[in-house]
Amino acid sequence: MTIKKISLLAGLSLLAFSSGALADTVRVTIAEYSKGTGPYFEEAAKAFEAANPDTKIQIEVVPWDSLQQKLTTDISAGANADLSIIGTRWLLDYVKEGIIAPLDENITPDFKARFIDTFLTPSVMDAKVYGLPIAASARAMYYNKDIFAKAGVDTPPATWADFKTTAEKIKALGTETYGFGLQGKEIETDVYFYYGLWANGGEIVKDGKSGLDSKAAIDTATLYKSFIDGGLTQPGVTSYSREDVQNLFKQGKVATVITAPFLSGQIKTEAPNLNYGVAPIPAGPDGGKGTYGVTDSIVLFENSKNKEAAWKFLDFLFTTEQRTKFDKIEGFLPVNAEEAKDPYFADNADLKVFTSLLPDARFAPVIPGWEDIAQTTSNAIQKIYLGQGEIEPTLKEAAAKINETLK
Amino acid sequence: MQRASVPYFLILPSFLLAAAIILWPLKEIVSLSLHDVNRFGMLKDFIGLEHFRSLFANADFLAATWRTLFWTAAVVIGTLIVSVPIALILNEDFYGRGIARILIMLPWAISLTMTAIVWRWALNGESGMLNSALRDLGIINSNIQWLAEASTAFPMQILIGILVSVPFTVTIFLGGLSSVPEDLYEAAATEGAGRWDQFRLITLPLLKPFINIAFVLNTIYVFNSFPIIWATTQGGPANSTDILVTYLYKTAFRMGRLGEAAAVSLIMFAILIVFTIIYVRLAMREEKQ
């Protein structure tokens, strides 16, 4: 007990001392999206400090993969920053525990009007805005025009049935090139499955129940499995993460990959001769469509002692000028309406496809235990891809487990 | 009286240090494991052994436990079997021994995570070095997707585990071999003992304490080893290559179930303690003989 008290006192005095010395420091935890992320925020912090000499901005850059771990440990130790980037899909857990502060009292109608509505809504909970969309992205299908031409196909597939015919033609070339680059490993393995699920008219969660045992899910699993068994995907899909499939696409070993806008930027520097196009994700038999929309939010912690200064910095980050700079560096979609008019975004053929898909974009549902559900889904479809589980019972079992989590 | 208290007084500083570093976190983890805990480590209701009960009803956790024991045994025993001959060879005097020693030690100088990531690339099905080497040698005709299934991924992970444990183990053995006096072998040779007998009757018994220490240290180290499996498969596909540490990491930081994760780490701690006690018992019995 005494040890505890002493260390607590020591910690407190240290805290008191540090907060006294650095009265107006705003600490910001930033997820590293690319090499450009850190330098961009350092520069933005400097520009902000020049305009607001009383405030100091301290940027902490963390790799995406360890962001959640860092936040969890920081928050449980009470050592979190004032502002942080988080995955919007984690927001519910944070809001439920009262860890982050709503921003409404600072948001003027003018400020709200800066945003494209689609991207702001995922951060709204109980009619309160809990975060601002710092990064926005959607998914579309990249296809290799040269491989398609060789196989005698000149348009990207409109439906999954078309897609299968195309993939079969590509297989017939006999060049160890595969039509469907299918991700089966690590983060977002489940998302790759949802593309087909949405096309078949299914939902991840409907009326508080998992949609994984629906007919649409079974149809999708059967469809994907037929791609795998027919040799229309790269072999061993469960050993390919998203980056791995993207690499196969850059190497011209798979003819398609469904991923985010940033792949365009990577291709430009790593495989400049790749002749590719971007198309919507194929539709289902009844015209069902859907792409995955993702936003990351920047949030203000409830225990921040510098809420006012922190808000000022947020306001600064979401000016059209700053947003344009950042989204160009990262290859994200514009979140400001003004920014979207910038010729860089308005005249970019790849990005135009992505923005045209936004009306059909689905965001991760706001439900507790989302990561748990994603893991259960990934495990079930990996078993199906590997042929270690019958499609229907495996999906039903996973759905039952998810319903347990949803309760 | 005065005198008897001196030793306690002298060990007090190190005891306090140990208490702060080991006992304090242990107490925290025990309390986490007995409570309903949210993602951010805030304690809610006291629920007793509920976390442990749900763990032992969880097929993934049980499978990970058995896999951990298998993984530890395979890597540790494999390492010992490989390391003894390597140490014997490196102990011989031959031209280029210095370079050979450096080559064996080299993997030690590279961080484990980096080694594991390099292997992830090497094992890549379409562009990995291992497949292209095997194809060039004419051993296989089509690419093997090493990391796609546990049946190929897990043995490869064990091999990587052995590879990275060898340098440390060989170092211990070389230290042991340098303390074996040369004249023992000469005497044995004059008595007519062949190389095998010399190894069996002289080298192995004298090396035994070193084998023991290598066994214990490797067991603790491999049991808790995270980077190899995490970097290559993250315990997938479908939890089929999970060991307890990777399962623990996922439970804690991906799912945010800190209470359950605390229970897992206590179970791991208990298993290691049992190992250590068995070892200490065995070692002491031997000393008495």
Side-chain angles (χ1 to χ4, degrees):
Chain A
M1 258 333 263
T2 41
I3 293 176
K4 186 181 174 186
K5 266 185 193 154
I6 289 166
S7 62
L8 215 69
L9 278 175
L12 277 178
S13 59
L14 211 70
L15 251 172
F17 175 73
S18 61
S19 59
L22 309 162
D24 269 285
T25 299
V26 175
R27 284 169 57 214
V28 190
T29 304
I30 297 297
E32 187 171 39
Y33 297 104
S34 73
K35 277 183 293 219
T37 315
Y40 162 77
F41 276 99
E42 291 296 345
E43 205 182 296
K46 262 196 211 113
F48 178 78
E49 283 168 2
N52 301 272
D54 312 339
T55 312
K56 215 180 151 315
I57 304 288
Q58 194 183 329
I59 303 285
E60 301 164 2
V61 183
V62 187
W64 227 135
D65 285 344
S66 39
L67 177 64
Q68 200 170 9
Q69 182 198 342
K70 181 187 161 56
L71 288 173
T72 310
T73 35
D74 280 1
I75 292 167
S76 51
N80 53 285
D82 300 283
L83 294 170
S84 176
I85 291 181
I86 68 168
T88 306
R89 57 192 180 280
W90 310 337
L91 200 60
L92 183 68
D93 285 340
Y94 285 67
V95 171
K96 220 172 52 186
E97 304 296 341
I99 286 164
I100 50 183
L103 303 168
D104 295 83
E105 50 182 84
N106 290 311
I107 294 181
T108 60
D110 270 356
F111 182 84
K112 205 166 185 174
R114 287 188 205 170
F115 291 92
I116 297 172
D117 254 355
T118 326
F119 290 130
L120 192 58
T121 24
S123 315
V124 179
M125 244 158 248
D126 306 330
K128 283 184 197 152
V129 180
Y130 279 98
L132 299 175
I134 192 84
S137 159
R139 304 295 151 79
M141 181 183 260
Y142 287 72
Y143 67 102
N144 186 320
K145 287 183 175 166
D146 289 342
I147 300 177
F148 269 52
K150 250 187 250 164
V153 184
D154 37 58
T155 50
T159 64
W160 281 92
D162 285 351
F163 186 24
K164 203 166 170 193
T165 331
T166 307
E168 269 156 3
K169 283 183 190 157
I170 291 170
K171 190 195 173 192
L173 295 173
T175 49
E176 289 204 20
T177 343
Y178 309 99
F180 185 19
L182 175 57
Q183 177 194 345
K185 185 181 178 185
E186 291 171 12
I187 211 145
E188 289 201 0
T189 298
D190 54 324
V191 174
Y192 228 91
F193 181 74
Y194 301 147
Y195 300 137
L197 179 72
W198 289 323
N200 280 322
E203 293 290 339
I204 303 173
V205 175
K206 202 174 181 185
D207 307 328
K209 293 264 180 216
S210 166
L212 217 53
D213 53 0
S214 64
K215 184 176 173 297
I218 294 166
D219 287 349
T220 307
T222 317
L223 176 74
Y224 280 25
K225 185 78 174 118
S226 75
F227 269 95
I228 295 173
D229 292 343
L232 308 177
T233 67
Q234 82 280 13
V237 290
T238 47
S239 62
Y240 290 91
S241 68
R242 188 171 74 184
E243 280 64 39
D244 294 332
V245 182
Q246 287 173 181
N247 286 339
L248 288 180
F249 183 76
K250 288 178 215 161
Q251 294 159 3
K253 287 185 175 164
V254 296
T256 60
V257 60
I258 302 172
T259 187
F262 57 68
L263 183 64
S264 302
Q266 292 181 15
I267 292 174
K268 210 175 276 168
T269 54
E270 292 169 39
N273 297 324
L274 196 75
N275 183 14
Y276 73 95
V278 181
I281 296 166
D286 302 325
K289 264 196 264 182
T291 180
Y292 186 50
V294 190
T295 64
D296 289 338
S297 298
I298 185 159
V299 298
L300 173 62
F301 286 103
E302 189 64 70
N303 64 0
S304 161
K305 295 200 177 63
N306 292 310
K307 288 204 176 94
E308 213 171 301
W311 169 259
K312 265 194 191 163
F313 186 56
L314 280 184
D315 191 22
F316 173 76
L317 283 181
F318 284 92
T319 54
T320 308
E321 187 201 343
Q322 288 300 323
R323 286 308 309 176
T324 315
K325 235 193 229 171
F326 180 64
D327 287 330
K328 276 185 191 170
I329 291 174
E330 301 292 358
F332 290 138
L333 297 179
V335 295
N336 278 25
E338 275 305 310
E339 178 196 2
K341 292 179 190 151
D342 187 292
Y344 178 85
F345 300 109
D347 300 340
N348 182 318
D350 292 358
L351 281 182
K352 261 195 228 163
V353 178
F354 283 100
T355 30
S356 75
L357 296 178
L358 288 178
D360 293 321
R362 329 269 178 120
F363 292 83
V366 182
I367 40 178
W370 166 247
E371 298 289 327
D372 236 326
I373 292 168
Q375 186 75 49
T376 309
T377 311
S378 293
N379 284 354
I381 57 181
Q382 280 177 333
K383 272 185 204 153
I384 292 171
Y385 292 168
L386 284 170
Q388 289 171 352
E390 291 287 321
I391 290 173
E392 241 187 285
T394 311
L395 288 177
K396 287 221 160 104
E397 194 190 325
K401 204 169 159 194
I402 292 172
N403 289 336
E404 218 31 61
T405 314
L406 284 172
K407 256 183 209 165
Chain B
M1 265 317 269
Q2 189 69 31
R3 221 176 146 177
S5 64
V6 169
Y8 297 105
F9 184 68
L10 287 176
I11 60 166
L12 191 67
S14 53
F15 175 76
L16 287 181
L17 196 67
I21 294 173
I22 300 167
L23 296 179
W24 170 251
L26 188 64
K27 184 216 146 238
E28 288 287 291
I29 287 179
V30 170
S31 114
L32 278 180
S33 73
L34 299 177
H35 285 84
D36 191 11
V37 188
N38 76 5
R39 170 174 278 284
F40 307 105
M42 296 165 196
L43 298 187
K44 304 256 158 118
D45 305 337
F46 179 84
I47 54 164
L49 296 176
E50 195 45 50
H51 286 312
F52 291 89
R53 210 168 294 144
S54 72
L55 274 178
F56 283 108
N58 181 337
D60 285 336
F61 168 77
L62 293 177
T65 308
W66 289 117
R67 202 172 297 114
T68 309
L69 295 178
F70 181 74
W71 151 261
T72 311
V75 174
V76 170
I77 294 171
T79 304
L80 294 181
I81 292 174
V82 174
S83 297
V84 171
I86 292 180
L88 286 177
I89 294 168
L90 290 181
N91 198 40
E92 297 287 314
D93 204 6
F94 61 90
Y95 188 71
R97 181 174 74 165
I99 292 173
R101 280 194 177 184
I102 290 172
L103 283 180
I104 293 286
M105 299 301 153
L106 216 50
W108 207 4
I110 303 166
S111 105
L112 192 49
T113 314
M114 271 199 265
T115 314
I117 290 174
V118 168
W119 273 101
R120 180 191 170 124
W121 293 336
L123 293 172
N124 186 297
E126 292 305 305
S127 50
M129 282 209 319
L130 188 65
N131 273 345
S132 63
L134 290 177
R135 275 184 114 157
D136 287 347
L137 291 171
I139 297 173
I140 55 171
N141 292 323
S142 60
N143 288 331
I144 299 175
Q145 307 296 328
W146 297 101
L147 299 177
E149 303 187 30
S151 59
T152 47
F154 200 54
M156 287 316 284
Q157 288 165 333
I158 289 176
L159 284 181
I160 301 169
I162 292 175
L163 191 82
V164 299
S165 311
V166 160
F168 168 70
T169 317
V170 167
T171 310
I172 294 182
F173 289 174
L174 280 177
L177 288 172
S178 66
S179 69
V180 178
E182 218 23 65
D183 41 355
L184 277 181
Y185 292 108
E186 282 166 23
T190 35
E191 295 288 335
R195 305 272 329 225
W196 170 244
D197 285 329
Q198 286 181 15
F199 171 73
R200 197 168 52 88
L201 298 170
I202 303 174
T203 314
L204 213 49
L206 287 173
L207 209 52
K208 198 138 183 229
F210 297 91
I211 294 180
N212 278 341
I213 191 79
F215 181 79
V216 173
L217 291 179
N218 274 327
T219 303
I220 295 173
Y221 190 56
V222 172
F223 186 86
N224 283 323
S225 175
F226 177 75
I228 297 173
I229 292 193
W230 191 257
T232 47
T233 61
Q234 294 196 355
N239 295 99
S240 59
T241 58
D242 254 333
I243 60 170
L244 285 174
V245 227
T246 56
Y247 185 83
L248 168 75
Y249 183 89
K250 277 191 228 174
T251 314
F253 297 116
R254 212 168 254 181
M255 323 280 194
R257 291 200 294 254
L258 293 186
E260 209 177 301
V264 175
S265 68
L266 281 179
I267 293 169
M268 291 176 63
F269 184 59
I271 297 176
L272 273 184
I273 281 194
V274 170
F275 274 161
T276 317
I277 290 175
I278 293 175
Y279 165 74
V280 170
R281 276 281 167 86
L282 286 175
M284 279 166 94
R285 193 193 296 160
E286 250 166 41
E287 255 169 44
K288 271 181 201 149
Q289 288 168 354

